[in-house]
Amino acid sequence: MSTPASAAKKWIGLPRPWVISGPCSAETEAQVMATAQALAHSGKVHLFRAGIWKPRTKPGGFEGVGAVGLEWLKQARQQYGLPFTVEVATAKQVEEALKFETDVLWIGARTTVNPFSVQELADALQGVNIPVLIKNPLNPDIELWTGALERIAGAGIEKIGLIHRGFSNYGHSEYRNVPMWHLAIEMKLRHPQIPLLNDPSHICGRRDLLMEVMQRAVDLDFDGLMIESHPEPEKAWSDANQQVTPERLLEMLAAIRWRAEDIHSDSFHTALDALRQQINQLDQEMVQLLGRRMQVAEEIGRYKKENNITILQTSRWQEIVERACAQGEQVGLSREFITRYLEAVHMESINRQKNVLDS
Ligand code: PEP
Ligand code: MN
């Protein structure tokens, strides 16, 4: 691939799994120091995170402590030897973060979504040698995520990582941000040289789901995790429902079933296993989608019944096949395969509608 993103290489010497943790927001000096101390002491966490400029949905809430937080983070690094990362969204914030020798920058989901903002960051980073982690955009658009990657790589940044934090969703879901794992897998396949981390905290939005999502990420061969931790999670000034104490974080890390240390140097079977996990995940999502498709078909059946319309409408069917074949062609699926697949789906759909009409 000739995109600038391909310039970014898999980081050499990156611990695996790479664990990043710390509070959603830096709140007080004491809170930053206490969290950093507990995390550093464990030896299981490699990078300390804390938001100091917080993007909030509505005005009037806690918007972060600002640059004073950088002082605390620097002090924590001095005292406990834990390098740190902060979120940056503007050129000014990049400048401040660099002044305090921040080790790694991260770009939040609300920034990745906006090419103007990402370009502003890329311009501010021109000629700077600092690793940058890019969260997925709020919406499930991997071209936008890739675009951000290309803009940052285009600024000459060599160490780039991706963070999968889920996607916003309208309507009910058990997750705060739905994971849509297939999109993260697609990014991983497109950019195998770039480390991919998972952020279970923002996917879950609640503590009780964290473990399951962390395990899923590990099974899908993610390179690391970014998880929020706070000495008193219930009292956190932001994202209180999803944070855990450093102690709980360590318990969870210990409970995860890690796969073989290094997949690249391990046996063929381990690599195969990781790919099979991806297939399982994709199949599971396809079955879910098919189930949903059939529900919609039944809904249409009810409508047809009320309005006395026939089940089969040839022109509509041809339109569906044509559209799917054209789309299939773009992703390398043959017309023959798409037609056979759609015929099976269509038969099932017709049976469902027939049942509705007969009822
Ligand atoms: C955060 O990490 O605290 C944060 C604001 O995350 P996101 O950009 O994923 O919403
Ligand atoms: Mn947060």
Side-chain angles (χ1 to χ4, degrees), residues 221 259-277:
D221 196 30
R259 40 184 59 267
E261 285 262 271
D262 181 353
I263 199 156
H264 305 290
S265 67
D266 209 331
S267 71
F268 159 75
H269 292 288
T270 314
L272 188 62
D273 210 35
L275 290 168
R276 283 181 174 153
Q277 287 285 352

Side-chain angles (χ1 to χ4, degrees), residues 55-350:
R56 305 316 299 271
T57 304
K58 291 178 180 162
F62 169 60
E63 296 194 329
V65 293
V68 66
L70 290 165
E71 297 268 12
W72 306 337
L73 291 165
K74 205 172 159 181
Q75 202 181 315
R77 175 175 60 194
Q78 241 158 31
Q79 199 139 338
Y80 306 115
L82 205 52
F84 66 88
T85 179
V86 297
E87 174 179 351
V88 287
T90 64
K92 179 88 181 13
Q93 292 172 358
V94 169
E95 193 189 311
E96 299 247 39
L98 294 176
K99 232 191 292 173
F100 286 84
E101 291 150 358
T102 301
D103 299 278
V104 174
L105 301 176
W106 98 75
I107 301 178
R110 290 161 193 76
T111 306
T112 309
V113 88
N114 182 352
F116 287 134
S117 300
V118 176
Q119 192 56 50
E120 178 182 326
L121 295 178
D123 293 343
L125 286 167
Q126 197 76 45
V128 180
N129 180 18
I130 189 168
V132 178
L133 305 174
I134 308 172
K135 289 204 177 192
N136 66 254
L138 292 172
N139 54 327
D141 180 346
I142 67 174
E143 297 309 330
L144 209 46
W145 199 1
T146 301
L149 172 58
E150 290 180 0
R151 285 176 201 278
I152 298 302
I157 297 293
E158 288 183 353
K159 290 183 171 175
I160 300 182
L162 298 170
I163 304 178
H164 168 231
R165 50 78 79 197
F167 302 89
S168 339
N169 179 45
Y170 181 75
H172 176 76
S173 159
E174 62 180 335
Y175 299 108
R176 176 177 174 194
N177 291 289
V178 285
M180 298 193 177
W181 293 98
H182 57 287
L183 296 185
I185 291 171
E186 174 68 23
M187 277 307 265
K188 186 175 168 60
L189 294 175
R190 283 195 197 183
H191 308 286
Q193 77 282 22
I194 298 188
L196 174 65
L197 286 85
N198 177 259
D199 169 351
S201 305
H202 292 89
I203 287 178
C204 298
R206 44 190 262 205
R207 286 179 271 282
D208 60 328
L209 295 178
L210 289 173
M211 189 64 210
E212 180 191 318
V213 168
M214 284 161 73
Q215 183 66 58
R216 177 66 57 93
V218 167
D219 290 343
L220 290 173
D221 196 30
F222 277 60
D223 298 283
L225 300 165
M226 182 195 249
I227 310 168
E228 290 181 343
S229 57
H230 189 290
E232 293 181 285
E234 324 65 46
K235 294 193 189 149
W237 298 0
S238 60
D239 288 353
N241 295 334
Q242 70 197 30
Q243 302 199 63
V244 292
T245 60
E247 294 69 35
R248 175 66 192 139
L249 171 77
L250 298 173
E251 262 172 38
M252 291 195 300
L253 289 175
I256 284 184
R257 280 171 282 111
W258 298 99
R259 40 184 59 267
E261 285 262 271
D262 181 353
I263 199 156
H264 305 290
S265 67
D266 209 331
S267 71
F268 159 75
H269 292 288
T270 314
L272 188 62
D273 210 35
L275 290 168
R276 283 181 174 153
Q277 287 285 352
Q278 295 184 14
I279 291 279
N280 291 350
Q281 181 62 35
L282 292 167
D283 282 347
Q284 190 185 321
E285 289 179 28
M286 281 194 290
V287 170
Q288 292 275 346
L289 286 172
L290 281 171
R292 233 182 285 155
R293 191 193 190 284
M294 293 307 159
Q295 282 170 0
V296 175
E298 282 185 359
E299 196 68 40
I300 291 180
R302 279 190 282 281
Y303 183 83
K304 285 177 176 169
K305 183 176 183 179
E306 271 162 34
N307 293 279
N308 218 13
I309 302 173
T310 58
I311 292 182
L312 185 64
Q313 285 150 308
T314 324
S315 61
R316 164 77 181 140
W317 171 240
Q318 276 160 356
E319 180 196 313
I320 289 178
V321 174
E322 270 322 305
R323 186 175 327 114
C325 286
Q327 203 193 340
E329 211 171 311
Q330 284 179 10
V331 291
L333 300 174
S334 73
R335 181 166 268 275
E336 193 218 0
F337 171 71
I338 293 284
T339 313
R340 262 193 295 146
Y341 155 75
L342 276 182
E343 274 165 7
V345 171
H346 195 220
M347 273 320 291
E348 175 70 6
S349 221
I350 285 179

